Amino acid sequence: MDRFTTMATFVRVAQLGSLSAAARELGLTQPAVSQQVAALERRLGVRLLNRSTRRLALTEAGERYHAQARRILEAVAEAEDGLAEASDTLTGSLRVHAPAGLGQAHLAPILIGFQRRHPELAVELIADDRYADLIGEGVDVAIRLGALASPGMVARRLATLRRILVAAPDYVAAHGSPETPEELARHPHVRFSWAAAGDAVPLVGPDGPLEVRVRSRFLANNAFVLVEAIRAGIGIGGAQLPLVQPLLDRGALVRVMPGYAYAPLEVHAVYPSGRFVPRRVRAFVDHLATALPGIPGLDRD
């Protein structure tokens, strides 16, 4: 069995922590992946994995081999990538993770355009509002909003995303439009369920940052759901300007308290740290740095 193939298979098993997950990603059966790992262990004369019905973990020898094998695979990829530097052609696969709202509304067209410019490249967009495990899920680039808490990752700031307070015209007609933070606190509020501050909404006003304790009446972990709740007249909410600008333009939503806004969010491209970064990843991040700031509500840093 080819040494390079078994080494690459073992690395993906170690990174994903699962034989079945590695099999799905590699297009193999689980028994085939298990056989490759077993053959590698026989050749090396050591046990690399501790297996049980509930979990899979690296042995001490497996940890050492995994670290060395990753460096070897990265060196091979770097050598191949270096030969392609003289060409504009990008090949291989590019897996991107992004928040659902920004991903569906704006990153999808950008990624589609990037693939059309590089037809030999296979791309995949995972759009949801959770923090992906880049190594474990084989993600090449993640787009993340706000503060970063990802040790061992490289982050490149791409833009700043503006968030404003909006409401449905019918809601404003029935309940009025608040003009001060104190008045906002008396209106029902629509917000993200995972917001760290909870009901203490962080705003920026004429005198700087402040917090307003609101009465949350609808919470969700998806930007599109929140916009629909605001459009339905449930209350006032903060919305990402790139998502609601078309609704503002046609009067489906109106801005509330224009002198105040949710604190803006930094937009970063995040990818695993390491000496070698594939050319396709560098090219896509450069493309994002140019394309994103052209979207209303995303300001160039």
Side-chain angles (χ1 to χ4, degrees):
M1 191 174 296
D2 179 74
R3 289 189 176 189
F4 188 81
T5 298
T6 56
M7 180 187 295
T9 298
F10 167 73
V11 167
R12 288 313 293 149
V13 170
Q15 290 174 335
L16 295 172
S18 165
L19 293 169
S20 58
R24 286 193 298 271
E25 182 178 293
L26 297 171
L28 301 172
T29 64
Q30 181 174 330
V33 170
S34 182
Q35 289 169 10
Q36 287 193 32
V37 174
L40 180 62
E41 289 177 323
R42 287 194 300 272
R43 182 168 59 79
L44 296 174
V46 296
R47 179 177 291 279
L48 300 173
L49 298 173
N50 286 321
R51 304 165 178 83
S52 73
T53 56
R54 297 179 63 88
R55 63 189 298 271
L56 178 152
L58 292 174
T59 64
E60 184 178 345
E63 293 277 5
R64 293 198 303 271
Y65 184 76
H66 175 248
Q68 294 285 351
R70 276 192 62 188
R71 285 194 284 270
I72 292 170
L73 293 172
E74 288 180 353
V76 171
E78 186 173 11
E80 293 177 347
D81 218 43
L83 293 176
E85 287 285 356
S87 170
D88 290 333
T89 302
L90 297 180
T91 60
S93 61
L94 180 69
R95 198 175 201 199
V96 181
H97 183 272
L102 193 64
Q104 182 175 329
H106 295 293
L107 285 176
I110 291 173
L111 191 55
I112 290 168
F114 186 75
Q115 197 283 329
R116 293 184 69 180
R117 287 174 55 184
H118 304 284
E120 298 300 313
L121 187 67
V123 303
E124 178 182 358
L125 174 62
I126 305 165
D128 59 44
D129 287 313
R130 62 184 177 86
Y131 260 37
D133 176 359
L134 273 64
I135 299 297
E137 297 179 43
V139 173
D140 294 299
V141 184
I143 309 305
R144 291 186 173 166
L145 308 179
L148 296 177
S150 303
M153 298 291 159
V154 176
R156 177 175 172 181
R157 194 159 76 178
L158 302 173
T160 299
L161 184 149
R162 281 183 278 158
R163 299 182 295 166
I164 62 173
L165 291 160
V166 295
D170 290 346
Y171 176 88
V172 172
H175 304 284
S177 178
E179 297 183 0
T180 66
E182 293 75 20
E183 292 178 8
L184 177 66
R186 294 195 287 269
H187 286 259
H189 206 79
V190 176
R191 66 170 180 84
F192 266 102
S193 53
W194 48 255
D199 286 336
V201 171
L203 299 180
V204 177
D207 298 321
L210 71 155
E211 285 190 348
V212 180
R213 186 158 294 279
V214 296
R215 296 187 298 124
S216 297
R217 288 296 177 268
F218 191 95
L219 298 90
N221 65 348
N222 180 281
F224 287 119
V225 173
L226 293 176
V227 170
E228 286 306 305
I230 296 170
R231 290 185 64 186
I234 289 178
I236 295 170
Q240 299 172 12
L241 184 55
L243 300 188
V244 298
Q245 186 64 63
L247 299 173
L248 294 169
D249 291 342
R250 64 174 186 259
L253 289 176
V254 295
R255 185 165 184 179
V256 173
M257 292 174 58
Y260 295 84
Y262 266 65
L265 295 175
E266 293 179 351
V267 183
H268 290 89
V270 178
Y271 48 92
S273 63
R275 186 172 57 87
F276 171 65
V277 178
R279 190 165 63 101
R280 59 186 178 273
V281 171
R282 288 185 274 120
F284 179 63
V285 173
D286 288 342
H287 182 68
L288 280 177
T290 300
L292 281 180
I295 298 169
L298 285 167
D299 304 320
R300 187 183 302 275
D301 284 317

